[in-house]
Amino acid sequence: MDVTALLDTLNDAQRQAVSAPPHAMLILAGAGSGKTRVLVHRIAWKIQVEKLSPHSILAVTFTNKAALEMRGRIETLLQISASSMWVGTFHGIAHRLLRRHATQANLPETFQVMDSDDQLRVIKRLLKALEVDEKKWSPRQVQSFINSQKEEGLRAKQLADNGDFYQKNMLRFYRDYEEICHRSGLVDFSELLLRVYELLRDNADLLAHYQTRFRQVHVDEFQDTNTIQYAWLRLLTDGKDNLFVVGDDDQSIYGWRGAKVENIQRFQKHYPQHQVIKLEQNYRSTGHILNAANDLIAHNEQRMGKQLWTNSGQGELISLYTAFNEQDEAYFVVEQIKKWREEGDLKQDVAILYRSNAQSRLFEERLMSAGIAYRVYGGLRFFERAEIKNTLAYLRLMLNQHDDPSFERVINFPTRGIGLKTLDEIRLLARTQQQSLWRSAIALLQQNSLSARAENALKSFLVLIKSLADTAEPLPLHEKVKLVIEHSGLLALYKKETDNQGEARVENLEELVNAARLFDYPMESEEKLSELALFLAHASLEAGEMQAGEGENYVQLMTLHTSKGLEFKKVFLVGLEEGLFPSEQSLYNPERLEEERRLCYVGVTRAMQQLFISHAESRRLYGQENYPQPSRFLREIPSELMQDIRIRTPITRPATVARTKAADSLKTNTYKAGQKVSHTKFGLGIVLQTEGEGTQEKIQVNFKTEGMKWLMLAYAKLDILS
DNA sequence: TTGTTCCAGCTTTTT
DNA sequence: GCTGGAACAA
């Protein structure tokens, strides 16, 4: 392939980015502007034109999916195998480095990776052991404290409590947590990043080695990097000016989990030689949709500034539907999908996007009764399922008996007569002796202090693990997994469950054996670790797909966050109401509000041809009827880009809202739900309901401009208009 | 050990 | 208003 072929299919800005001289580059890539394309072609350029070996290229992404796609596209483009190229997630690459340099990183060779669920379990147990009030110190709170400190690059010993009671306790938990992880040979997700950062920072030789090796470093979704990830990139490219980052400040929607958009500014300061290129031509959406997105995001103050454009025509207007309530909203969406289905089979092109997962239920119900196949993204993924995690815990324990969380998980699962009392004694001994549960269990047996029954049960558990480990030793990976499933008692247990769930679990276990069979482990000469250990790490680092295969005939339901990076011909953006989107928690915080707006921008730019936006006038939330204002984002999209699908006629509010309340209030009250009223100060409004009697009588009115209010009827100056 | 009841909490998610 | 988890009882 010659050089022109690499550039031919690109537009001017893309071409500039791909063929730029080898210095630091910041590519601000708008939604649908061919970001991955540029990244892939840039890497191809490096290999093809600048003759870099794939070996000297590093490309970092956030998700496994993105990493896989990038490698695949490079290989297709260049028709080479890029297996020597390092393409992976931040965590995946950190894991790889730690495996290679475990000793220098002060980790055991067999260290394992914990997922967030494992981490939470460790913290829960730790808090129990310390006998602190779980109401006051919630495990989740502790977890997020620890993770956010690590993401800022801070160890417990680097933090001061300043006499602060809260901080003092948190630091105690943090220290204990580090201790348990160390003893069990476990590393959590943020630890992977921090540990690698420290490894390179403290080992000049290693750092120099990787700085020399990676002649080009590429980062996808740069706006999502957190402090420690950026610090790591800085180390790796220090004084080299060879960092190529692609991102979009307007699509930064993960600030709440530590992402720092400011890293874009930091980049510009730290790499003064850098060049900025904006990709603004959009190949996805029609003109109207892009204009809406542009005008919406222009309401944000904190942005670098970008204007998307297309030369593919204006397309259809955006449709706006005002629903009576959330039921009506779901009804409308599904009716619309039904119409499309009658016109032709279009289901895989349709997505319903919402702010929070709880909103999916109504759409699911409607789709179900309409007989339309759908798929909800989110929820538990394969390697996160309880039966899978139980099996993995046995496998981990076989590999490393001092893995306390795994020990806890399966010592009495399936039940084998080891009660709480025995377990407590083991825990106590472990704590006082500062040793693993496994060692403590053995010690306890030697003390002969247990009852005969407990002793037998415990002994047989230890023997089980040992014999599983020995028997498995010579077997191929999938046979090891199979052995555990069959001999741990898990299979028998799940087979006994006669309901669907039991069946599904058995199927999942079979699938796990299959996954093990198909697992081909990336074995480099230095990575002499056992296949099993790598498989277990893989299970933590890649929890498995949760999406339907490409092009399958499903309507797709997902949160706005999940939709980032995807595109659909027809998009429903639902629930655009103040308090829902933007969410209640963001309403009074300008920064969070801007993030919500970016989220809305992400949603709008998912649509290729048709965008439907809806909101409801009344919505049941947490068992309470709410009358939310339409989202401010609706006002921020120019009205000439939108068409109302139905004329708003609030008088014909459906009976469901008005009926019961109205019937009740009829007895004593003159006001009825649905009546138009006028207030001297608040203006026009619609009566929603009344409550109480006599001087205590209150009335709830939804005012056109002022929103929903409760008024004391005795004082309210209301005129009935209808 | 299992079932029941009570109670808090309630965006967003990848690794 | 529902759900998941924990505490408690049998």
Side-chain angles (χ1 to χ4, degrees):
Chain A
M1 193 171 80
D2 64 306
V3 177
T4 50
L6 264 183
L7 300 178
D8 265 359
T9 54
L10 305 174
N11 67 35
D12 280 349
Q14 291 174 334
R15 202 172 297 143
Q16 268 185 50
V18 167
S19 61
H23 50 57
M25 297 284 294
L26 168 60
I27 312 300
L28 288 173
S33 64
K35 161 182 77 98
T36 311
R37 199 176 168 73
V38 164
L39 212 39
V40 165
H41 281 246
R42 172 69 173 185
I43 292 171
W45 176 271
K46 286 283 159 190
I47 296 172
Q48 194 95 105
V49 180
E50 295 185 15
K51 305 295 178 203
L52 289 196
S53 150
H55 178 80
S56 58
I57 285 175
L58 172 66
V60 199
T61 63
F62 275 87
T63 66
N64 291 300
K65 196 178 153 198
L68 227 57
E69 189 191 336
M70 200 184 302
R71 183 187 294 280
R73 280 172 68 168
I74 292 166
E75 291 186 337
T76 313
L77 186 64
L78 289 180
Q79 294 293 311
I80 57 161
S81 158
S83 56
S84 68
M85 191 170 71
W86 281 35
V87 183
T89 63
F90 276 101
H91 294 85
I93 292 194
H95 173 246
R96 193 166 175 179
L97 286 167
L98 291 181
R99 283 278 173 229
R100 289 183 155 204
H101 310 290
T103 322
Q104 274 164 290
N106 192 23
L107 286 171
E109 293 277 336
T110 57
F111 81 87
Q112 272 301 318
V113 182
M114 266 193 294
D115 68 17
S116 338
D117 184 59
D118 299 330
Q119 184 186 36
L120 191 63
R121 279 164 179 272
V122 171
I123 291 166
K124 271 187 188 164
R125 191 166 61 79
L126 173 162
L127 293 177
K128 272 238 168 66
L130 288 173
E131 291 181 321
V132 294
D133 186 0
E134 263 207 43
K135 295 219 169 66
K136 246 181 121 191
W137 306 96
S138 86
R140 285 205 175 277
Q141 203 185 346
V142 175
Q143 182 180 35
S144 86
F145 176 88
I146 293 174
N147 286 337
S148 48
Q149 296 306 329
K150 287 190 181 183
E151 275 158 19
E152 288 299 313
L154 296 167
R155 295 277 177 203
K157 60 170 186 276
Q158 295 168 264
L159 287 157
D161 61 37
N162 298 324
D164 182 72
F165 177 70
Y166 172 85
Q167 188 83 355
K168 210 171 123 192
N169 276 287
M170 283 299 184
L171 288 180
R172 178 163 64 127
F173 305 148
Y174 189 1
R175 263 192 296 272
D176 278 21
Y177 173 76
E178 282 183 317
E179 172 65 32
I180 293 171
C181 292
H182 178 74
R183 199 166 61 222
S184 304
L186 293 168
V187 164
D188 64 46
F189 288 135
S190 26
E191 183 71 31
L192 284 168
L193 303 172
L194 179 54
R195 199 57 83 100
V196 158
Y197 171 75
E198 292 170 341
L199 173 74
L200 293 179
R201 185 195 60 193
D202 302 337
N203 292 276
D205 296 353
L206 263 189
L207 179 59
H209 171 258
Y210 284 106
Q211 281 177 342
T212 313
R213 166 169 184 168
F214 295 126
R215 296 186 52 194
Q216 271 300 316
V217 180
H218 306 81
V219 186
D220 191 17
E221 305 277 18
F222 184 67
Q223 77 284 351
D224 289 339
T225 51
N226 62 30
T227 302
I228 194 74
Q229 285 161 340
Y230 180 62
W232 177 75
L233 290 170
R234 283 263 297 149
L235 267 184
L236 218 48
T237 58
D238 191 33
K240 297 271 299 296
D241 215 26
N242 59 345
L243 186 57
F244 185 96
V245 305
V246 181
D248 181 0
D249 56 321
D250 289 333
Q251 290 189 73
S252 159
I253 55 174
Y254 287 114
W256 51 273
R257 66 174 197 213
K260 296 276 192 297
V261 216
E262 310 91 272
N263 285 344
I264 296 180
Q265 276 76 40
R266 290 197 190 128
F267 173 93
Q268 297 190 274
K269 213 172 82 200
H270 290 148
Y271 300 86
Q273 305 295 316
H274 79 279
Q275 187 186 345
V276 181
I277 290 175
K278 289 185 188 177
L279 305 180
E280 296 174 294
Q281 182 174 5
N282 174 291
Y283 296 95
R284 177 186 295 153
S285 313
T286 63
H288 284 324
I289 292 171
L290 290 183
N291 290 338
N294 282 329
D295 282 358
L296 173 75
I297 201 67
H299 285 81
N300 272 5
E301 312 242 327
Q302 299 292 324
R303 61 189 293 255
M304 321 255 319
K306 244 187 302 81
Q307 186 88 357
L308 296 177
W309 61 275
T310 178
N311 54 22
S312 69
Q314 294 299 16
E316 288 179 46
L317 286 173
I318 294 163
S319 302
L320 177 68
Y321 181 72
T322 300
F324 296 123
N325 55 27
E326 74 280 5
Q327 299 279 346
D328 181 40
E329 182 182 49
Y331 177 79
F332 163 76
V333 168
V334 174
E335 283 304 304
Q336 186 61 52
I337 295 173
K338 271 192 196 162
K339 247 184 250 166
W340 287 332
R341 189 175 57 170
E342 282 157 22
E343 291 164 12
D345 208 14
L346 295 163
K347 279 176 289 187
Q348 68 276 24
D349 299 328
V350 181
I352 304 173
L353 309 182
Y354 35 78
R355 175 68 241 261
S356 76
N357 285 306
Q359 287 169 260
S360 76
R361 216 193 74 230
L362 286 168
F363 295 98
E364 290 183 59
E365 285 169 5
R366 281 280 172 202
L367 287 165
M368 180 102 71
S369 61
I372 297 171
Y374 66 90
R375 172 84 196 210
V376 186
Y377 288 62
L380 271 195
R381 288 165 325 156
F382 184 71
F383 285 111
E384 292 168 352
R385 292 171 189 281
E387 62 275 20
I388 303 297
K389 297 214 74 168
N390 287 331
T391 310
L392 297 179
Y394 276 99
L395 290 163
R396 285 184 181 193
L397 206 51
M398 287 154 58
L399 207 63
N400 168 20
Q401 276 91 53
H402 307 299
D403 180 335
D404 283 358
S406 296
F407 186 96
E408 288 254 5
R409 185 167 187 123
V410 298
I411 180 171
N412 200 30
F413 193 90
T415 50
R416 46 176 69 88
I418 301 174
L420 222 64
K421 228 178 121 236
T422 312
L423 189 54
D424 269 342
E425 282 192 50
I426 300 173
R427 285 181 186 144
L428 184 70
L429 197 61
R431 205 159 64 244
T432 51
Q433 298 294 311
Q434 292 284 301
Q435 62 185 13
S436 68
L437 295 169
W438 179 270
R439 201 158 275 151
S440 305
I442 293 172
L444 209 58
L445 285 175
Q446 284 165 348
Q447 283 175 16
N448 260 327
S449 56
L450 293 171
S451 71
R453 212 156 101 201
E455 189 183 306
N456 278 335
L458 185 56
K459 204 179 270 170
S460 72
F461 173 67
L462 300 183
V463 169
L464 173 71
I465 298 298
K466 273 290 177 204
S467 69
L468 281 175
D470 292 341
T471 317
E473 176 66 26
L475 299 175
L477 180 61
H478 72 276
E479 297 278 354
K480 287 190 172 97
V481 177
K482 204 169 165 186
L483 179 88
V484 167
I485 292 171
E486 282 167 6
H487 290 85
S488 62
L490 287 174
L491 186 66
L493 177 83
Y494 293 128
K495 272 197 169 153
K496 241 180 15 206
E497 289 178 16
T498 45
D499 53 353
N500 287 341
Q501 224 193 358
E503 266 172 53
R505 287 178 197 272
V506 172
E507 273 174 36
N508 285 332
L509 290 179
E510 282 162 13
E511 194 49 43
L512 181 65
V513 177
N514 213 19
R517 189 181 286 120
L518 296 174
F519 180 67
D520 63 316
Y521 57 114
M523 182 67 97
E524 281 188 30
S525 52
E526 308 118 291
E527 294 162 8
K528 53 193 181 297
L529 208 73
S530 86
E531 198 177 10
L532 177 58
L534 289 176
F535 179 68
L536 291 172
H538 164 86
S540 297
L541 285 168
E542 196 166 344
E545 277 303 321
M546 49 183 179
Q547 71 172 92
E550 299 280 322
E552 278 189 59
N553 215 8
Y554 290 111
V555 170
Q556 324 221 49
L557 280 71
M558 68 189 82
T559 63
L560 285 151
H561 282 90
T562 309
S563 77
K564 196 173 103 174
L566 306 174
E567 59 180 26
F568 311 93
K569 287 201 178 120
K570 301 163 194 295
V571 167
F572 291 95
L573 210 54
V574 302
L576 266 93
E577 294 140 35
E578 289 288 298
L580 187 63
F581 188 29
S583 80
E584 187 70 38
Q585 295 90 326
S586 311
L587 284 180
Y588 306 103
N589 178 328
E591 277 175 23
R592 285 172 158 218
L593 204 53
E594 295 216 338
E595 184 153 308
E596 296 278 317
R597 192 174 283 110
R598 292 192 290 268
L599 190 57
C600 188
Y601 174 80
V602 166
V604 169
T605 53
R606 295 312 94 194
M608 300 165 81
Q609 296 166 359
Q610 271 185 298
L611 176 61
F612 284 74
I613 302 181
S614 63
H615 68 103
E617 291 182 320
S618 118
R619 180 178 299 272
R620 232 181 155 68
L621 212 62
Y622 307 137
Q624 260 227 316
E625 203 70 31
N626 286 274
Y627 302 90
Q629 292 276 82
S631 170
R632 67 191 69 196
F633 303 146
L634 291 175
R635 289 200 304 272
E636 294 169 0
I637 296 174
S639 53
E640 62 268 23
L641 296 177
M642 294 196 282
Q643 56 181 128
D644 262 309
I645 296 236
R646 195 195 49 192
I647 301 120
R648 296 181 56 166
T649 50
I651 304 295
T652 54
R653 187 173 290 281
T656 47
V657 175
R659 193 191 304 125
T660 51
K661 305 280 182 190
D664 291 341
S665 49
L666 263 181
K667 287 174 221 147
T668 52
N669 306 309
T670 37
Y671 290 93
K672 282 177 265 194
Q675 272 177 331
K676 260 191 186 171
V677 292
S678 168
H679 186 273
T680 47
K681 196 157 152 235
F682 300 140
L684 292 178
I686 310 276
V687 177
L688 299 172
Q689 57 177 315
T690 58
E691 195 185 68
E693 284 177 20
T695 54
Q696 291 305 302
E697 193 177 350
K698 297 176 212 67
I699 183 165
Q700 191 184 33
V701 183
N702 191 15
F703 290 105
K704 215 169 188 165
T705 50
E706 303 292 322
M708 199 227 1
K709 292 205 185 308
W710 275 105
L711 304 170
M712 294 297 290
L713 209 53
Y715 301 100
K717 298 189 178 74
L718 286 172
D719 291 323
I720 301 173
L721 300 179
S722 66

